[in-house]
Amino acid sequence: MIESTFLLSLFPIIFLLPVYAQVTVYGITGQQFIGQTATNTAAAANYTGSAAYDPTVLTAPGIPIGDQYPSLQFDIQLQNGGTNGLSITQQGSFLGFSVEMSVVNQVLGRNSTYLQVPFLNLMANVVQRGGAVNVRVGGNTQDLAVLVDSLPDGKIIQKDTSASTNPTDTPPLQFTNDLIIMMRNISDLTNVRWYLGIPFNDTNWRLAIAEQGQQILGDYLLGLQAANEPDLYADHGHRNLSYSPSDYLSEMQSLVSAMSSDSSIRNQSVLIAPNIATGDWTPENVWDTGFVDVLDTSLAYLAVEHYPTDNCFAQFGIGTPHDAQTIFPTFLNHTSGQSFVQPYLNSTAYAQTKGKKFLMMETNTASCGGFAGLSDSFGAALWTLDTAMQMAYSNFSGALLHVGGQNVYYNPFTPPPTNQSTFHQWTIGPVFYSTLAMAETIGPSNNSRILDLGANNGNIYTPAYAVYENNDPVRVALYNYITDSSGGSDYTASISVSGGQMPSQVRVKYLVAPSVSEKHNITWAGQTFGAQFASDGRLTGFEDIQTITCISSCSITVPAPGFALVFLTDNALSESGATGATTTFPTTAYTKSINTVTVDASVLATSNGNRGGGNMGSTSKGSAANGGIKVGVEYGCSAGVVVGMALALVICLLEEW
C-alpha cells in the first residue's frame, strides 16, 4: 500500500493541467490543500515548497519620469571599416553555465549510461547558435570532493550532509570517474566543453580529478580551477584569519610542483586562478604578489567570481538583509551592467598584457540562491543579457551562470524533484533565454568584436550594442527595460550604415514578455519553453523572424519591455544558427511499464471524477480491486478541464512500490 506521505509527493501532477482551484485530498488526516493559483501578483507568503518553483511575482517598476524618460525615436549610425573602441575577439560560447558539483546527478544524468535528455536538448540549442557551450562542474563543493573507486548502489556521487561546512552548508562529496565519463558522453553528443576544479580544502593535493579529467575528456577539458573563492577561506574557517594573497600564491606553487611530478597529468598549462569573489581581496591584491609572472606557464586563464548582491541573510542569517521588491529596479537599467564590470576593468586590461584570457567563473543575479520574483523574472533575463554583453565589451572572454538545486531561485534550468520525475518535465528559467540570445548575438565565427553604442544619448533604459566581424557591423542588439503595457514606451531606433552599401532589408528577432516581472510567458523569436514542469529542453511554437525594409535607414521598434536582435545581412542571420532545426535527442529510458494507461482527451474533459466515496482499486499488481486506498478529490475546473479523474488514475494505477 502507498503511505499517505508518499501520496503527497505525487499530487503536484495537477500542475500539468490548466486548473485554477485548490484541490482537497480525502483520506489523509487533517485534509491538506495543495496547488497554487495560476498567477500571483505579490509575494507568496504562504508558499513552503522548493525555491525553484516559488510563485512570487514582484511589481514591475513604474515608467520613468522627467529627464530619465528616454527619447522614443533616435538614430544609430554605424561605420563599415575602421571603428574605434571595439572589444577583443569574442566567441559565441561566451555565456555558459556553472553547475554546482553536488547536483550533477540531477542535472547532467544519473550516470554515464543515463543522460538527462532535457539537458542535452538545452545544450544543443545553445550549440546550434554559438558553435559550442562551456560548462563548469564545480562550486563550493569542488574543494571538498574526493574521487573514489566506487560508491554503493552504483552511484556516481554521494554527499556527506552530516559534515556540511560554510555558511551555505556545503557538503563534502565523494564521486567516481563515471561522473567524468558521463561528461565525455555528453560532449560526444553535443559540443559541450568543460571546466573542472582541483580540491583545495588542504594542501595534501588530490590530483585524481586532473588525471582522470585529462584522460577521459581530452580536448573537451578547457581548464582546472585552482581554489574556489580563496578570499573567503578565512571567513569560512578553511584557513587561519591571517590567510593572504601571498599565502595563496605559496599554495599555488605547491600545487604546481605536485602536478609537475605527476606524469599522468600531461597538460600542465591548465590552471584557472585566482577565482576570488567579493571578500577582503581585490584582484590587484593578487596581481601585486607577482602571481601571474610566477605561475605564468601553468595558468590557462585568469578568473574571478561575482554576484551583484546577495540573499544570504534570508537564507543563512548572515550579512545584510535585502528586499527583492526594493532592489528590483536596480537591475533594470544599463548602469547595473556597467557597475558590475567596473571593478575588473584594470584586470581585463592587465590580462591582455600577460597574454591571458579573463573569465567570470561564476555569476548570477544574487548569491545564496537569488531572490524570489527577481532572479526568476524576465527582468533578470534582460539584466543577464545586458551584463553579459557588457562583459564581452569590457574584454572578459567568458562568463558562467550558476546552476544550483531545488533550493535556489536563479536557475537557468531545473529538473523536477526526484519523486516527481515520472510525471513532471523540466522548468526553464528566464535567464536561459539570455544564453540563446547571447549566442546568436555574438555568433559562432569566433571573430566577433563588441561595441557599447551609448545609444539614445546614453539613456540607461535603452542601451544598444553593435557586433562587428572583420571591422564591419553585422548585428545590433537593442534593449528596452521599461514596462508599459499601453505600448506608449515602445521606441524606434533608426539604424544606418556608412562606408559601404546600405542594406535593403534587415531581419529581426525579439525576446519579449508582458512585463519585467513575468516568469513564464517569455518568447524568443515567437518560441518558448513554457511554464513550470513543462519542458523537455526543446523550443515550442513557430519561429518568427521579422523582415524590415530599409530605405535611408532601418527603423526597428523595440517593445517595452523587450530585446531586439537585428541581423544586418542574411549571412549574419544564417551564420548565427538562427535558422534550421536544432538537433535533439530521444528519451532512452522509461519506468513503470506495467501499469500504463492512455485516456482519450474528450473522455477526460467530460469526466466527473470522484467526490470522495467508493473504493478506488488496488495499488498492487494482482491485488483485489476492493483492497485499494480510499482517495478522492474535491475540485474546481477551468476551461472545461477536470482534474479528478486524472489524479485518481495516477494514484490508483501505480505499480507496487
Side-chain angles (χ1 to χ4, degrees):
M1 302 294 287
I2 301 178
E3 299 292 339
S4 62
T5 54
F6 177 69
L7 284 174
L8 282 175
S9 72
L10 296 173
F11 293 146
I13 189 172
I14 65 170
F15 291 124
L16 292 173
L17 302 172
V19 175
Y20 301 93
Q22 290 184 320
V23 178
T24 305
V25 181
Y26 290 92
I28 298 177
T29 304
Q31 287 192 1
Q32 300 190 20
F33 292 90
I34 60 178
Q36 298 288 333
T37 56
T39 59
N40 294 273
T41 56
N46 296 323
Y47 179 76
T48 58
S50 298
Y53 315 108
D54 193 310
T56 298
V57 176
L58 300 180
T59 301
I63 299 171
I65 59 176
D67 293 341
Q68 291 186 321
Y69 192 76
S71 172
L72 299 182
Q73 291 191 356
F74 58 90
D75 297 331
I76 293 177
Q77 177 67 55
L78 304 176
Q79 173 72 40
N80 276 318
T83 298
N84 295 324
L86 302 181
S87 73
I88 61 175
T89 300
Q90 300 291 4
Q91 299 182 333
S93 58
F94 185 95
L95 189 58
F97 306 100
S98 163
V99 180
E100 189 67 42
M101 193 173 189
S102 59
V103 301
V104 290
N105 56 338
Q106 301 170 36
V107 176
L108 274 60
R110 295 183 185 178
N111 52 52
S112 62
T113 60
Y114 190 108
L115 306 181
Q116 287 281 21
V117 172
F119 179 78
L120 293 176
N121 288 337
L122 291 168
M123 297 304 102
N125 269 298
V126 182
V127 169
Q128 178 198 13
R129 291 160 170 82
V133 59
N134 300 337
V135 180
R136 168 218 193 192
V137 171
N140 283 331
T141 47
Q142 77 182 28
D143 274 348
L144 299 167
V146 180
L147 195 154
V148 297
D149 292 335
S150 63
L151 289 169
D153 303 320
K155 296 176 183 175
I156 64 170
I157 195 165
Q158 180 170 275
K159 309 171 194 175
D160 182 5
T161 55
S162 65
S164 296
T165 61
N166 290 339
T168 54
D169 294 329
T170 304
L173 295 178
Q174 292 180 318
F175 68 100
T176 70
N177 73 346
D178 197 47
L179 185 156
I180 305 175
I181 296 172
M182 175 177 68
M183 294 164 61
R184 176 57 191 252
N185 289 346
I186 291 171
S187 295
D188 287 339
L189 291 171
T190 185
N191 191 21
V192 178
R193 300 176 299 186
W194 306 94
Y195 302 104
L196 286 170
I198 295 174
F200 224 85
N201 62 310
D202 60 50
T203 54
N204 295 314
W205 304 112
R206 301 190 298 277
L207 300 178
I209 192 169
E211 299 166 353
Q212 294 290 304
Q214 290 194 1
Q215 177 182 337
I216 296 169
L217 295 176
D219 291 339
Y220 289 117
L221 180 64
L222 295 175
L224 294 166
Q225 191 176 357
N228 183 72
E229 300 175 344
D231 51 327
L232 300 180
Y233 281 176
D235 290 342
H236 293 173
H238 300 320
R239 300 290 193 275
N240 60 50
L241 293 178
S242 63
Y243 189 69
S244 69
S246 295
D247 296 320
Y248 173 55
L249 172 58
S250 296
E251 292 180 353
M252 285 290 295
Q253 290 176 285
S254 171
L255 172 62
V256 168
S257 177
M259 290 176 61
S260 65
S261 300
D262 188 338
S263 59
S264 297
I265 302 177
R266 295 184 296 276
N267 181 3
Q268 297 286 325
S269 302
V270 73
L271 297 182
I272 307 168
N275 312 302
I276 62 172
T278 51
D280 295 331
W281 307 353
T282 66
E284 289 80 6
N285 293 151
V286 179
W287 314 145
D288 288 345
T289 65
F291 187 89
V292 179
D293 292 331
V294 171
L295 302 172
D296 180 35
T297 58
S298 300
L299 292 172
Y301 303 90
L302 304 182
V304 294
E305 302 180 12
H306 182 55
Y307 293 77
T309 186
D310 70 85
N311 196 24
C312 298
F313 185 87
Q315 298 289 347
F316 306 105
I318 59 174
T320 303
H322 299 288
D323 175 65
Q325 184 64 68
T326 301
I327 67 173
F328 192 26
T330 67
F331 283 82
L332 302 175
N333 61 73
H334 191 48
T335 304
S336 181
Q338 292 173 320
S339 299
F340 183 92
V341 304
Q342 196 281 328
Y344 306 108
L345 296 180
N346 288 338
S347 295
T348 57
Y350 175 74
Q352 292 175 69
T353 68
K354 299 297 182 180
K356 304 294 182 185
K357 291 184 176 181
F358 195 83
L359 302 178
M360 178 59 69
M361 203 67 185
E362 176 182 324
T363 189
N364 214 303
T365 47
S367 59
C368 294
F371 293 94
L374 188 162
S375 299
D376 51 357
S377 71
F378 181 64
L382 291 178
W383 174 86
T384 298
L385 186 51
D386 188 7
T387 302
M389 286 295 289
Q390 190 66 205
M391 283 190 279
Y393 168 63
S394 301
N395 296 325
F396 283 77
S397 290
L400 306 177
L401 291 174
H402 201 49
V403 182
Q406 305 286 325
N407 62 335
V408 303
Y409 302 102
Y410 55 48
N411 282 341
F413 39 78
T414 308
T418 303
N419 63 353
Q420 300 176 27
S421 61
T422 57
F423 52 86
H424 273 161
Q425 298 193 82
W426 284 39
T427 299
I428 310 305
V431 296
F432 184 77
Y433 292 87
S434 308
T435 65
L436 298 186
M438 183 71 178
E440 290 194 35
T441 300
I442 295 182
S445 70
N446 299 331
N447 189 34
S448 296
R449 302 175 71 188
I450 315 302
L451 180 66
D452 185 336
L453 295 171
N456 203 6
N457 293 317
N459 186 275
I460 63 175
Y461 300 107
T462 60
Y465 298 87
V467 178
Y468 291 76
E469 294 179 2
N470 300 317
N471 292 321
D472 291 339
V474 293
R475 301 177 195 92
V476 177
L478 304 169
Y479 300 72
N480 191 339
Y481 275 111
I482 299 171
T483 294
D484 183 355
S485 60
S486 73
S489 297
D490 297 357
Y491 72 77
T492 299
S494 297
I495 302 172
S496 57
V497 182
S498 61
Q501 184 176 358
M502 180 72 192
S504 60
Q505 65 178 31
V506 295
R507 311 293 292 278
V508 185
K509 298 183 75 171
Y510 286 97
L511 178 65
V512 293
S515 164
V516 291
S517 299
E518 178 61 43
K519 299 165 78 77
H520 303 298
N521 186 14
I522 300 168
T523 58
W524 172 235
Q527 296 182 301
T528 184
F529 292 103
Q532 288 180 350
F533 304 121
S535 180
D536 64 0
R538 295 179 294 180
L539 285 161
T540 61
F542 295 101
E543 187 175 47
D544 178 16
I545 305 174
Q546 299 191 18
T547 301
I548 306 296
T549 300
C550 308
I551 303 178
S552 59
S553 65
C554 308
S555 296
I556 313 299
T557 299
V558 184
F563 167 83
L565 178 58
V566 183
F567 299 89
L568 299 178
T569 67
D570 287 341
N571 184 62
L573 177 68
S574 60
E575 176 192 69
S576 64
T579 59
T582 302
T583 300
T584 56
F585 301 89
T587 302
T588 55
Y590 62 95
T591 59
K592 297 178 178 59
S593 58
I594 298 175
N595 292 319
T596 302
V597 62
T598 300
V599 181
D600 184 88
S602 62
V603 174
L604 178 60
T606 57
S607 168
N608 287 326
N610 184 276
R611 288 281 183 176
N615 292 325
M616 299 297 291
S618 173
T619 60
S620 300
K621 179 186 175 184
S623 298
N626 61 3
I629 297 175
K630 188 174 182 178
V631 176
V633 295
E634 175 181 281
Y635 56 89
C637 62
S638 175
V641 180
V642 180
V643 300
M645 183 179 179
L647 185 59
L649 282 170
V650 170
I651 294 172
C652 299
L653 295 177
L654 286 171
E655 66 188 78
E656 181 172 330
W657 288 76

